[in-house]
Amino acid sequence: MGPSVAPSLQDVVAALTFDAGPYLSCDECFDRLCAYVEQVATNRQSDPVMRRHVEACLVCGEDAQFLLEVVVADRVGGRAASNLLSRGRGPRAGSDARPAPRSSTR
């Protein structure tokens, strides 16, 4: 795996000051994630509350982006789905920075 890219100070400030209202918990987001990703993958109107949470929460955003890439790759034979979730919206827009994967060894 390649090296992790640290988010810029501008990305961190944008994430910390991003208005994530109305509130949706990560558990609620997880329960609705598959339906939301399906909406995004098919270019249908997506749930605005989910979109705000996915844009504001790095963990849920990463999960949604990964799931979207899997869905799109399966449908189009491997074509990249990079940044479909954050295209032009919120603090993640244009950012490919991802946290380093957790190591399974100690």
Side-chain angles (χ1 to χ4, degrees):
M1 295 206 167
S4 164
V5 176
S8 71
L9 179 59
Q10 182 180 12
D11 289 339
V12 172
V13 170
L16 291 173
T17 59
F18 185 70
D19 178 15
Y23 180 75
L24 181 70
S25 73
C26 291
D27 288 337
E28 292 168 318
C29 179
F30 183 77
D31 291 341
R32 298 161 62 171
L33 190 59
C34 290
Y36 173 73
V37 167
E38 185 66 29
Q39 291 171 350
V40 172
T42 58
N43 292 318
R44 289 182 288 165
Q45 181 66 31
S46 61
D47 182 348
V49 176
M50 276 291 293
R51 188 187 71 213
R52 296 293 276 176
H53 182 86
V54 167
E55 289 173 349
C57 177
L58 293 177
V59 173
C60 291
E62 289 290 320
D63 288 349
Q65 186 67 41
F66 175 77
L67 185 56
L68 181 62
E69 288 173 6
V70 169
V71 168
V72 171
D74 183 56
R75 290 185 180 170
V76 295
R79 197 171 76 198
S82 174
N83 292 320
L84 285 178
L85 287 172
S86 59
R87 182 177 37 210
R89 298 184 303 242
R92 297 172 54 111
S95 173
D96 289 334
R98 295 183 180 201
R102 295 181 191 150
S103 174
S104 60
T105 59
R106 292 185 180 240

